[in-house]
Amino acid sequence: MEILRRGTVIPAIPLALTAERKLDEEKQRLMVRYYLAAGSGGIAAAVHSTQFEIRDPRHNLFLPVLKAVKEEIDAFERETGKAVVRISGVCGGTEQACREAEEAKALGYDAVLLSPGGLKDWTEEQLLDRTRKVAQVMPVVGFYLQEAVGGRKLSKDYWRKLSDIPNVAAIKCACFERYRTQDLVKGVMASRRGDEVALYTGNDDHIILDLLTPFEHGGKKRYFVGGLLGQWSVWTKKAVEIFDLCMACREKGEIPAPLLTLAEHLTEANGAVFDVENRFAGCIPGLHYVLCNQGLMAGTWCLNPEETLSPGQAEEIDRVQRDYPELTDDDFVAEFLKKKE
């Protein structure tokens, strides 16, 4: 929890599948080892990038994925003596969310990322009550999810009340919108325990600037301390380097112009990987495409056969990789895989 509050890089791990759309456990474990070798301070599993369909009884992959990730983190911690933040996504109504939190807790996870997806008809008070019940099970990471993938607009007062809940340890802001990002941050700052709640960017379109921006209100200053991001599930070694650079710039109080340019390049690359042109339809296959090309996944398959790369998306990802090689970590991955042979 100290690491989570201090801030770190947390990739949202994708789901590795075989061509038969069964869990590819070997590749799933390989991805965990890659993220940890790249310097990630935590891993989030059973989240959007891992595909919500893992909970479908037809697939029944929620626990197998959490178990595989947990075991690889255990092995890394034994080998290195380093602590790694373990976050499990939980979703659904109160009963389902609490049940999933209990399962994650039993496996030794540190916190749960509580998704509001699929609950658009719930009032803010109902969502807060759900959070209170899940927080009685284990620490919660709140989640501002963008509307394009199932989220909704939430008020500044909602974030204040959410932060007031004991055992809310952090909040991931993934609204992909500056006005709403400001609402979230200012709401947390107005909370009586706002200083105890770590802010994590989930705005994959605004990563670097989120990390560099000092938010000021009422004589207080707050920063996003880290990121819990689908974008950081690819090119992770470079993501860690960029995060470290942002932290160093904050420490010095100086932001070099090339870093601002890099921010725009990263946003453009994210647009290709997340398939913004088609309202994120190919978001998850886009992540798979990058990992597959590097040899970390066997293919771009999703549990939903209709979830595929959009027309032209692969070519767009190839283009941004050619245009912005400073964002990629192909050499690191090649060396990592060579050591595993």
Side-chain angles (χ1 to χ4, degrees):
M1 298 309 293
E2 290 178 7
I3 296 169
L4 182 66
R5 289 194 171 98
R6 184 169 65 244
T8 191
V9 170
I10 304 179
I13 191 168
L15 177 68
L17 294 175
T18 66
E20 295 74 33
R21 292 185 166 80
K22 303 295 183 182
L23 177 64
D24 187 340
E25 190 167 328
E26 180 182 350
K27 293 293 189 185
Q28 195 71 64
R29 291 174 179 270
L30 181 66
M31 273 194 287
V32 177
R33 295 196 293 271
Y34 156 61
Y35 295 140
L36 297 175
S40 299
I43 294 177
V47 291
H48 176 245
S49 299
T50 327
Q51 302 177 47
F52 291 127
E53 291 89 347
I54 61 173
R55 295 163 173 84
D56 191 316
R58 292 176 300 165
H59 308 300
N60 196 28
L61 292 176
F62 178 72
L63 286 177
V65 169
L66 288 185
K67 187 170 182 287
V69 172
K70 177 257 187 196
E71 289 175 352
E72 290 301 325
I73 293 176
D74 283 350
F76 177 83
E77 289 183 334
R78 287 193 299 269
E79 292 167 7
T80 65
K82 298 178 180 178
V84 177
V85 179
R86 309 148 187 252
I87 294 178
S88 170
V90 301
C91 63
T94 303
E95 182 179 348
Q96 177 184 339
C98 286
R99 182 179 69 250
E100 291 183 1
E102 292 280 7
E103 292 170 335
K105 181 180 181 180
L107 284 172
Y109 277 74
D110 300 305
V112 291
L113 178 67
L114 183 56
S115 173
L119 304 176
K120 288 187 176 182
D121 294 334
W122 285 38
T123 65
E124 290 190 350
E125 189 51 48
Q126 286 176 312
L127 291 173
L128 290 166
D129 186 62
R130 169 177 175 256
T131 303
R132 293 184 189 100
K133 288 183 169 62
V134 175
Q136 291 174 2
V137 178
M138 65 185 302
V140 167
V141 178
F143 192 3
Y144 203 168
L145 179 66
Q146 62 157 320
E147 290 183 71
V149 291
R152 53 176 284 190
K153 186 180 187 300
L154 294 162
S155 70
K156 186 187 301 182
D157 196 50
Y158 170 84
W159 297 111
R160 179 187 63 79
K161 291 178 179 178
L162 186 87
S163 300
D164 283 342
I165 298 172
N167 226 20
V168 169
I171 298 175
K172 168 179 172 169
C173 181
C175 55
F176 282 51
E177 211 236 57
R178 302 321 297 160
Y179 300 111
R180 296 184 185 181
T181 297
Q182 290 176 334
D183 283 345
L184 184 152
V185 175
K186 301 298 172 60
V188 173
M189 293 174 75
S191 166
R192 61 177 178 270
R193 58 181 301 275
D195 292 343
E196 302 175 42
V197 179
L199 295 175
Y200 274 74
T201 179
N203 292 323
D204 303 77
D205 63 339
H206 209 261
I207 299 170
I208 292 177
L209 294 177
D210 267 358
L211 292 171
L212 292 175
T213 300
F215 292 84
E216 294 187 0
H217 183 67
K220 298 179 181 179
K221 180 185 291 188
R222 289 297 303 271
Y223 280 99
F224 282 99
V225 299
L228 198 172
L229 296 152
Q231 178 62 41
W232 278 357
S233 70
V234 299
W235 309 321
T236 309
K237 178 64 174 176
K238 289 292 181 160
V240 171
E241 292 175 3
I242 290 170
F243 173 76
D244 289 343
L245 178 59
C246 289
M247 296 304 102
C249 290
R250 274 178 21 184
E251 183 93 11
K252 293 179 181 178
E254 300 174 358
I255 303 175
L259 185 55
L260 300 179
T261 301
L262 184 67
E264 292 309 298
H265 291 172
L266 180 56
T267 297
E268 185 178 342
N270 172 256
V273 174
F274 273 35
D275 194 26
V276 175
E277 184 70 21
N278 297 289
R279 290 195 53 79
F280 305 95
C283 170
I284 292 174
L287 297 171
H288 294 183
Y289 180 78
V290 175
L291 294 167
C292 184
N293 286 346
Q294 291 182 318
L296 293 164
M297 292 185 77
T300 63
W301 310 291
C302 292
L303 290 173
N304 178 357
E306 296 182 4
E307 195 165 1
T308 61
L309 290 165
S310 294
Q313 186 182 359
E315 291 79 5
E316 183 65 3
I317 295 173
D318 291 341
R319 180 192 67 77
V320 295
Q321 289 185 114
R322 287 194 306 270
D323 288 352
Y324 310 122
E326 70 274 15
L327 295 175
T328 67
D329 66 353
D330 291 354
D331 291 344
F332 172 82
V333 174
E335 187 63 27
F336 166 78
L337 293 176
K338 187 177 179 181
K339 290 178 182 177
K340 297 297 177 184
E341 292 177 355

